[in-house]
Amino acid sequence: MHIIAQDARIAGDDSKATAAAASAPKIGQPVPDSSPPHKAAHSGSASAIAARRKQRISALGRTLRWVLLDIPLLTAFCMLLSAHLLQHVYQGTIQPLVESYRRGEADDEGYYSEFDFDLTYYNRQCDAEDISTHDASDLIITKEQTGAEAANVMMEHGAVVFKNVLSEQTATDLRAYLESRNEVRDTLSWHEKFWYEIGRLALGLGAHDNPVITKALHEVGTHAEIKKTIEGILGPDPAIVEISTMTSMHGAGDQGIHTDSDYFGSSVLYARNFLHSYTMFMALQDTTSKMGATTVCPGSHHCANIDLEDVCMEDDNAFEVSTNGLTGKEHGVWQKGDAMMFNQNVWHRGAANRDKENPINRVMFIVTFISRNKQTPGDRRQQGLGTYYYQRWNHWGHTYSDLMNVDWLMTQPMITLRSWGIWKLSGAKWGITWLEHFARQLANDEDFYASYELEPFIDYLNSIGIPDFLQGTPPDDWEPFLESMTQNWINFLTKVNTIAHAAYVGLYIVLSGLIWLCSRSKSTPATDGTKTPWIPAIVKRLLFTHGTAVLLFYLFSIQMDNTILAKKVKSGEAFIRPYSPPLEWQKDGFDQTTALAMTKDLELGPTAFPERMDILVGTRFDAEWLGIYNHMLDFHPGNKRYQSIVEEVAAYPLSDVSAGKWLLQKAQDPLKNVAARFLFQNPANGLWSVMDDSEALKIAVKSIKAHRDIITKQLWIQLKEIQADGRFGPLRDTDMARRFTHRFVKHWDAIIFGQYVMDTTSNGGKSKNISKKSKFNNEQQQQQQKDISSLVRKNRIIKQPSPTKKEQETIILQLGDRVRAHYRMSGAWLEGEIAGIYDSHSCMVAFKNGEYSNLSHNSVQPYVPYIEGDHVEVLHESDRWFPAKIRNIHPLGMHNIDYDDGEDDVASPDYIRPLSFRAVSFDTEMLNEIDQDEEKDEDGHFSNVEDDDDEEDDDEEDEDEDEDEDDDDDDDDYIRPLSFRAVSFDTEMLNEIDQDEEKDEDGHVSNVEDADDDDDEEDDDDEDDDEEEDDVHNSPNNNQMNNDNDNDKYEVGERVKANFKNTGKWFDGVIAAVATDGTYSVRYNDGDFEADVPDERLDDLE
């Protein structure tokens, strides 16, 4: 404008100048184009093109800046935030969980002291009697069965079978896909190939790896029999912890029979500590036993044996799964699409796949279920120890109901968020999250995170290019390795971000400065006071990008801190034990008030180790979230027998008390000469105590009443659950739980059962305060009792107890009776049974360890279970027997003892023997009947009781007889009399023999042994190394014993010193028997035995 006006003034026309100035555009307005029209159009097009070109260059520059600078910078910053977030989660949630899951060190028996007082059952050692069935059809679940009935089949046998789980087409297509994965197994990633050994391969599967997997999971989730069974066992909507496949290649050998969960770290012994889990195998082809159909040992899931191979693999106790209604290697077929689900504590194996007629791989589809432990207060269970699950990390957290909609529920990103416990759809249930599984495996050196598996993980890190300085140390311990690796990444990323951000800012400043300088050199300085905007731009950009990242990670960390696991850690619930510390828990800082309150009103009898046929009254179950395991004791053999007697007795028109008395008597009838006992579990420490008759009768009366009235039964169940919640629930340490709950239960127990004050022994079972509903008309009741008493006496239903025998009377033992007998291999006294009787003073004993031995009556005692307070002798580590008293007995079998000299110890019952011995004889009346009842062989000969070394498999004997029949007929060495004569020996030569016998280093004279004993001894002169000794020490003076002789100086059981064999050497021992001629039998503390000892060779033990 000034230029135009100046030009006008130069021309001398002020008015024109003024007009020109007025018409000129003002500052900020566009200058009118005075060019011709065609030139003006061309000029506008060029400027627009230049502007667009400038915009494109600017956009390209911004894009390059984002790609080359901003995004890498933001990525490095997000990686640093991620490392800090992982460290926060690891230190705040995982490490505390690891400590809460850690089981500590195992003892010599494989048990963990942390669980010593957490038992719900006992160390049950099973044998062939515990095999629940030999028919595969008993495992099949039908449409007609209810969920409770199906669950009972699982609890009875430990395995069930479902028909038509997968359709024919699904099974065929799934097998084809899995075989294709098997063929490329060497190229599979680490999260897919879990396990591989010669002949067997296990792969973890993704729900959407292939559409056929999705379809198969949907069919599992919609199968009616599976749903009712699994929810009957585990409760509503159980968790999924495995989706995998296992292939047994053609030619694979037998697996060893095993369990998938360790008995010492599972619900077998600790129902409130560990979740019970169930694996389902689905056959993808018709599978015969020759193809290696899974072998299952039914009933073995209740057992705590270290090894059950001898039991399961003999006499067809274990059998191959079949679903065609037939059992056996030649006929059974596991049909395509059918499934077998088993408790992970049942013993099973994969048999050899060597079918020559059908040489194909055996492929199975696998899904494993476990009860959820997230939603119910007081449920502090974790996964069982020793259990492995082939499931990908991002598939954890789901439940059975998710399988119904697997096509969209188990997809990204929902599947990963669910796995970490971060988020789920409303209405869905939490399963077991990966963080929980990871912490549990890490804490206990379990599969996938065992110490030996760290080296392969390091190799994997090296294979993907992770440098050593970013890996952790040491290379043999997961926890410090992961912690140090996380810190190494944080340190490294902090340095990277510092350098990158400094370089970014510096480069931006330099470039912006250069641009600014260039713009100043080519134009007139601005006169409007504007400033260069580059500094606000970079600040805004960094604040936007980094601030957004920080906010998102902060919100994510809040979400992680509010997961169920994190809340349990923060609240301390993750560290609460299933039970309050018992009085025996000798650790500082544990409050034992609750334990004291729990046992305050309990009149506990002496502790004892449960026997197979004892009736167990448990106190540590009774929680809704335990599922079918609330009824675990119902499947204990003694309780099963007891329940059958309840059903029998309750059917008679007796009053509840009278029926209870009869029930008590029948339940305590001896089995194999051992009476069943009622044992009550101490809720404070889990030990089992013997109940007296009055307390046992109360249980019997309640059982009758509950069986007769379903409402009473349900009320009893509810009362027990309330009692258990008060003892073990989340509020157990409050005064409300300690006092009010017990009073509430006691009050309503009296109302329901009419027993405010009930002394069933002193007042004939009459209650001082019986509810009106339970009263009978007196006359009618008395008449009913008279009628039924007459009936049972007439039919000999009630067995009256025999008169109490004096302790010194001779005990007559019969075939099959349980005994404790001297096992010469170790000097121990082992449990066994009378397997054969030769005469009244010698027998054959079948020990529990499977061995046999011929023994005299002096080496056998009737089996009497030990209880707390018994005075016994214990075999010390010095190989000498010392008197002691049993302080208490633990359910794991440990007997805590106090020696008479004040020392204490822990002993196995095998190394404990009675302090006083009973005189024993064997029943010979059955010998002739036994001969007649024995099975005849094909030649009509009777079989005889033989030693373990002489027994052979029937099939092998038949084959040998066919091949060598003529040779055997001519060999007199292999023929013996059909019946044996009672034998005695002349004692007149004893002195001469004593003088001629060799003495051992202690001056003891060795005894002449029979050749049929199981113990091998070496003879330095002319005997072979495998010659056997008999343990029978028959003395004619011991054939009859009379311990009631008033003139006897010493009594059986009295401790003495004896001059051994009149050698002048005196040894400590105990009087084992008193003969009619006044001599004594002495059992020495070192295990030796001597008969016919006159009293002048005995002296009182000081």
Side-chain angles (χ1 to χ4, degrees):
M1 182 180 69
H2 297 291
I3 295 173
I4 296 173
Q6 186 177 8
D7 291 342
R9 284 194 294 271
I10 293 173
D13 191 346
D14 293 338
S15 60
K16 291 181 180 179
T18 302
S23 62
K26 297 180 180 180
I27 296 175
Q29 292 182 348
V31 178
D33 191 356
S34 59
S35 303
H38 67 279
K39 291 185 177 181
H42 178 75
S43 176
S45 176
S47 63
I49 292 173
R52 287 194 297 270
R53 183 182 297 112
K54 184 177 181 179
Q55 290 176 355
R56 286 195 296 268
I57 293 173
S58 177
L60 178 61
R62 287 194 298 270
T63 301
L64 291 175
R65 184 188 66 208
W66 274 100
V67 173
L68 300 178
L69 295 176
D70 292 345
I71 291 179
L73 191 69
L74 182 61
T75 300
F77 186 66
C78 289
M79 290 179 66
L80 178 60
L81 292 178
S82 299
H84 277 287
L85 180 62
L86 285 175
Q87 187 180 59
H88 172 73
V89 172
Y90 184 80
Q91 294 178 347
T93 302
I94 295 179
Q95 277 191 332
L97 281 175
V98 168
E99 292 304 318
S100 70
Y101 290 157
R102 201 182 305 278
R103 60 192 174 191
E105 296 295 329
D107 59 20
D108 294 338
E109 302 296 327
Y111 298 103
Y112 296 89
S113 60
E114 294 293 320
F115 305 147
D116 275 354
F117 299 103
D118 290 355
L119 284 105
T120 50
Y121 199 35
Y122 74 103
N123 185 10
R124 176 176 163 188
Q125 298 297 296
C126 296
D127 53 31
E129 288 185 90
D130 296 288
I131 302 302
S132 58
T133 183
H134 292 84
D135 187 351
S137 298
D138 291 340
L139 309 183
I140 297 177
I141 302 300
T142 64
K143 294 181 180 180
E144 292 74 21
Q145 289 174 305
T146 64
E149 291 170 341
N152 285 337
V153 175
M154 174 64 81
M155 284 299 291
E156 178 73 19
H157 304 301
V160 295
V161 168
F162 304 106
K163 298 283 290 182
N164 303 318
V165 174
L166 301 180
S167 66
E168 176 80 16
Q169 190 61 49
T170 300
T172 300
D173 294 345
L174 182 56
R175 188 182 189 282
Y177 169 74
L178 296 178
E179 282 284 70
S180 70
R181 303 303 292 165
N182 293 336
E183 292 175 359
V184 295
R185 56 182 175 271
D186 294 334
T187 64
L188 300 179
S189 59
W190 63 274
H191 72 284
E192 184 172 359
K193 184 171 67 174
F194 284 109
W195 173 67
Y196 177 63
E197 67 177 19
I198 298 176
R200 284 182 171 83
L201 173 67
L203 305 180
L205 301 178
H208 294 278
D209 284 356
N210 188 280
V212 70
I213 297 178
T214 307
K215 184 178 180 182
L217 290 173
H218 177 76
E219 291 180 3
V220 171
T222 55
H223 194 274
E225 279 71 49
I226 293 178
K227 177 178 174 60
K228 70 181 180 183
T229 302
I230 199 65
E231 293 192 342
I233 296 170
L234 296 172
D237 206 10
I240 299 172
V241 292
E242 181 175 17
I243 301 174
S244 68
T245 178
M246 183 175 292
T247 300
S248 176
M249 311 296 183
H250 184 258
D254 289 322
Q255 276 187 321
I257 194 163
H258 62 280
T259 64
D260 287 342
S261 185
D262 296 331
Y263 66 91
F264 52 79
S266 70
S267 52
V268 172
L269 298 176
Y270 312 96
R272 282 183 175 260
N273 292 69
F274 299 104
L275 300 162
H276 45 118
S277 49
Y278 301 83
T279 295
M280 184 165 64
F281 290 168
M282 286 158 273
L284 302 184
Q285 63 284 306
D286 286 343
T287 307
T288 65
S289 61
K290 294 180 180 179
M291 288 178 61
T294 302
T295 304
V296 65
C297 187
S300 59
H301 58 301
H302 295 303
C303 309
N305 301 58
I306 295 177
D307 188 2
L308 267 178
E309 181 175 2
D310 290 343
V311 173
C312 292
M313 302 312 295
E314 290 184 0
D315 300 325
D316 295 326
N317 289 330
F319 53 79
E320 286 75 24
V321 173
S322 60
T323 60
N324 65 339
L326 302 175
T327 306
K329 293 184 177 182
E330 300 300 326
H331 307 289
V333 177
W334 186 352
Q335 295 171 323
K336 179 192 291 188
D338 294 346
M340 185 270 290
M341 185 168 66
F342 60 92
N343 185 311
Q344 288 198 328
N345 287 108
V346 81
W347 287 75
H348 64 281
R349 70 164 186 172
N353 182 3
R354 293 172 180 167
D355 191 345
K356 296 180 180 179
E357 298 177 358
N358 196 13
I360 62 173
N361 296 337
R362 178 174 66 95
V363 187
M364 296 186 299
F365 181 51
I366 302 173
V367 180
T368 296
F369 304 97
I370 197 169
S371 54
R372 295 182 293 112
N373 65 338
K374 296 293 191 302
Q375 306 297 325
T376 307
D379 185 1
R380 301 179 178 92
R381 294 172 297 165
Q382 59 169 292
Q383 295 163 264
L385 302 177
T387 307
Y388 51 87
Y389 304 103
Y390 299 139
Q391 177 151 279
R392 296 184 187 177
W393 68 270
N394 61 357
H395 277 59
W396 290 83
H398 290 85
T399 62
Y400 177 77
S401 63
D402 295 331
L403 298 182
M404 298 178 64
N405 300 293
V406 63
D407 53 338
W408 64 276
L409 273 179
M410 298 181 71
T411 56
Q412 295 293 356
M414 290 186 292
I415 191 171
T416 298
L417 294 175
R418 189 83 168 270
S419 173
W420 279 66
I422 298 172
W423 179 82
K424 63 177 178 61
L425 291 175
S426 177
K429 303 292 191 302
W430 285 113
I432 306 295
T433 62
W434 179 79
L435 286 181
E436 180 179 358
H437 172 70
F438 169 71
R440 173 253 187 198
Q441 299 292 98
L442 190 64
N444 298 306
D445 203 37
E446 296 287 316
D447 286 325
F448 307 126
Y449 298 100
S451 55
Y452 69 87
E453 293 179 285
L454 180 54
E455 184 176 352
F457 178 71
I458 295 175
D459 293 338
Y460 170 74
L461 295 178
N462 293 329
S463 68
I464 61 176
I466 303 298
D468 292 342
F469 72 89
L470 288 179
Q471 299 179 21
T473 55
D476 56 357
D477 193 336
W478 277 97
E479 291 181 64
F481 179 88
L482 293 175
E483 191 170 3
S484 61
M485 187 170 76
T486 305
Q487 189 60 52
N488 289 342
W489 274 95
I490 290 176
N491 296 338
F492 171 71
L493 291 172
T494 301
K495 293 178 181 179
V496 169
N497 275 269
T498 301
I499 296 172
H501 282 75
Y504 179 83
V505 173
L507 180 62
Y508 196 90
I509 292 174
V510 170
L511 291 176
S512 298
L514 291 174
I515 294 173
W516 181 76
L517 290 174
C518 291
S519 64
R520 282 182 60 87
S521 63
K522 295 181 179 180
S523 61
T524 304
T527 59
D528 59 353
T530 58
K531 297 181 179 180
T532 305
W534 63 269
I535 292 178
I538 187 174
V539 172
K540 290 179 181 178
R541 188 159 50 252
L542 288 177
L543 286 176
F544 174 75
T545 56
H546 289 51
T548 302
V550 170
L551 179 61
L552 290 176
F553 274 89
Y554 174 72
L555 295 175
F556 192 76
S557 68
I558 292 177
Q559 184 65 29
M560 292 299 297
D561 289 342
N562 284 278
T563 60
I564 294 177
L565 286 177
K567 288 180 179 178
K568 285 187 175 182
V569 171
K570 286 183 178 180
S571 65
E573 184 181 351
F575 308 100
I576 300 176
R577 298 177 58 83
Y579 309 95
S580 294
L583 301 178
E584 295 87 351
W585 191 266
Q586 302 298 329
K587 289 192 176 183
D588 296 334
F590 285 97
D591 182 12
Q592 297 177 333
T593 308
T594 300
L596 288 168
M598 207 179 298
T599 57
K600 181 179 179 181
D601 296 331
L602 295 179
E603 297 181 3
L604 299 173
T607 57
F609 184 76
E611 297 282 330
R612 189 173 186 275
M613 299 312 298
D614 286 338
I615 298 97
L616 306 184
V617 181
T619 59
R620 292 189 149 199
F621 295 93
D622 307 313
E624 184 180 359
W625 40 264
L626 283 174
I628 193 63
Y629 265 57
N630 278 316
H631 304 283
M632 181 177 179
L633 294 183
D634 294 344
F635 296 88
H636 174 71
N639 288 34
K640 288 172 62 178
R641 171 178 173 266
Y642 173 74
Q643 187 58 39
S644 66
I645 300 174
V646 170
E647 295 173 3
E648 174 189 346
V649 173
Y652 286 89
L654 290 167
S655 68
D656 294 336
V657 174
S658 298
K661 287 184 176 182
W662 185 19
L663 169 62
L664 180 63
Q665 187 175 27
K666 289 178 69 67
Q668 292 179 330
D669 278 348
L671 297 172
K672 294 185 177 180
N673 75 306
V674 179
R677 305 168 296 176
F678 281 77
L679 300 185
F680 177 82
Q681 189 173 33
N682 186 336
N685 58 21
L687 305 188
W688 295 92
S689 299
V690 180
M691 301 176 69
D692 61 30
D693 285 345
S694 63
E695 293 299 317
L697 182 53
K698 290 179 183 180
I699 297 297
V701 172
K702 289 182 178 182
S703 299
I704 292 293
K705 196 173 184 67
H707 183 80
R708 288 172 169 174
D709 183 7
I710 187 63
I711 296 178
T712 300
K713 180 179 181 179
Q714 293 302 318
L715 289 174
W716 193 17
I717 292 173
Q718 291 297 318
L719 281 181
K720 289 191 287 186
E721 288 185 358
I722 294 171
Q723 181 80 289
D725 187 64
R727 288 168 171 169
F728 315 120
L731 302 177
R732 67 192 182 198
D733 295 325
T734 63
D735 286 339
M736 177 71 74
R738 290 170 178 165
R739 300 178 182 179
F740 175 76
T741 301
H742 175 69
R743 293 175 183 174
F744 175 86
V745 172
K746 187 175 181 180
H747 172 77
W748 281 99
D749 185 82
I751 293 177
I752 294 171
F753 294 102
Q755 297 174 17
Y756 268 116
V757 179
M758 182 178 181
D759 186 347
T760 54
T761 55
S762 61
N763 61 18
K766 297 180 180 179
S767 174
K768 297 180 181 179
N769 190 346
I770 301 178
S771 61
K772 295 181 179 179
K773 182 178 179 180
S774 64
K775 289 184 177 180
F776 284 86
N777 177 278
N778 287 337
E779 295 181 359
Q780 181 183 3
Q781 179 180 352
Q782 292 175 4
Q783 185 60 41
Q784 287 179 346
Q785 291 180 358
K786 289 180 180 179
D787 293 343
I788 197 68
S789 298
S790 175
L791 173 67
V792 296
R793 281 196 299 270
K794 181 178 180 180
N795 291 280
R796 302 179 60 84
I797 296 177
I798 295 180
K799 179 180 178 181
Q800 298 296 332
S802 58
T804 304
K805 297 182 179 180
K806 295 182 180 179
E807 185 179 357
Q808 304 300 338
E809 274 192 36
T810 300
I811 302 297
I812 307 298
L813 296 176
Q814 300 177 345
L815 278 173
D817 280 353
R818 295 173 64 191
V819 295
R820 296 188 194 274
H822 186 210
Y823 183 64
R824 289 184 58 86
M825 290 292 291
S826 62
W829 280 73
L830 304 185
E831 180 186 347
E833 292 185 1
I834 302 296
I837 295 176
Y838 301 124
D839 55 40
S840 61
H841 287 81
S842 59
C843 72
M844 175 186 289
V845 172
F847 289 106
K848 273 289 188 179
N849 62 9
E851 297 188 20
Y852 290 75
S853 184
N854 298 324
L855 300 171
S856 76
H857 64 294
N858 294 317
S859 297
V860 178
Q861 286 291 294
Y863 183 86
V864 178
Y866 297 124
I867 62 172
E868 175 185 340
D870 280 352
H871 292 272
V872 295
E873 286 187 315
V874 180
L875 185 61
H876 192 259
E877 60 184 8
S878 63
D879 292 332
R880 299 194 64 182
W881 293 87
F882 293 97
K885 181 180 179 180
I886 298 177
R887 184 170 68 250
N888 60 49
I889 300 176
H890 194 273
L892 292 179
M894 301 174 293
H895 288 53
N896 296 293
I897 60 167
D898 295 318
Y899 288 106
D900 288 359
D901 61 6
E903 294 185 8
D904 58 14
D905 201 353
V906 178
S908 163
D910 293 341
Y911 296 96
I912 299 175
R913 69 184 186 188
L915 184 62
S916 60
F917 282 71
R918 306 290 299 273
V920 169
S921 181
F922 304 111
D923 185 3
T924 59
E925 294 181 2
M926 298 291 293
L927 287 179
N928 292 333
E929 298 181 20
I930 293 170
D931 288 342
Q932 295 173 6
D933 292 339
E934 284 178 338
E935 291 187 10
K936 297 180 180 180
D937 58 25
E938 60 183 355
D939 297 324
H941 299 163
F942 291 104
S943 59
N944 292 302
V945 179
E946 299 292 346
D947 284 355
D948 181 54
D949 294 336
D950 294 332
E951 289 188 345
E952 296 181 1
D953 184 84
D954 292 339
D955 294 337
E956 294 177 1
E957 287 184 2
D958 292 341
E959 293 174 3
D960 292 341
E961 288 175 3
D962 290 340
E963 294 173 1
D964 304 321
E965 184 177 1
D966 294 336
D967 294 339
D968 290 344
D969 290 341
D970 297 332
D971 195 342
D972 292 341
D973 293 337
Y974 296 94
I975 299 175
R976 68 181 185 186
L978 181 61
S979 60
F980 284 78
R981 302 290 300 278
V983 173
S984 182
F985 303 102
D986 186 1
T987 60
E988 294 181 1
M989 299 294 291
L990 280 178
N991 291 334
E992 298 179 20
I993 295 173
D994 290 343
Q995 295 172 7
D996 293 339
E997 284 178 333
E998 265 186 46
K999 298 179 180 180
D1000 59 23
E1001 59 184 11
D1002 296 325
H1004 298 170
V1005 181
S1006 58
N1007 293 315
V1008 177
E1009 303 292 345
D1010 202 39
D1012 291 335
D1013 190 38
D1014 295 329
D1015 304 327
D1016 299 336
E1017 292 196 9
E1018 182 178 1
D1019 190 313
D1020 293 334
D1021 295 331
D1022 54 6
E1023 296 293 328
D1024 294 334
D1025 290 341
D1026 59 349
E1027 184 176 353
E1028 299 175 333
E1029 276 190 314
D1030 188 8
D1031 212 5
V1032 181
H1033 302 280
N1034 281 328
S1035 171
N1037 293 321
N1038 282 334
N1039 288 343
Q1040 294 181 355
M1041 296 184 183
N1042 183 0
N1043 296 317
D1044 297 328
N1045 190 339
D1046 296 334
N1047 296 325
D1048 293 337
K1049 183 177 179 181
Y1050 300 100
E1051 296 180 354
V1052 173
E1054 188 172 353
R1055 303 194 59 78
V1056 296
K1057 284 187 175 180
N1059 181 357
F1060 185 77
K1061 294 294 185 180
N1062 204 23
T1063 59
K1065 294 185 177 181
W1066 294 77
F1067 298 93
D1068 295 347
V1070 62
I1071 300 297
V1074 181
T1076 55
D1077 60 358
T1079 59
Y1080 301 87
S1081 296
V1082 178
R1083 186 175 303 282
Y1084 293 95
N1085 288 350
D1086 60 2
D1088 282 342
F1089 182 87
E1090 181 181 6
D1092 305 322
V1093 181
D1095 57 5
E1096 58 266 21
R1097 286 171 48 198
L1098 301 176
D1099 196 2
D1100 295 334
L1101 185 65
E1102 296 179 0

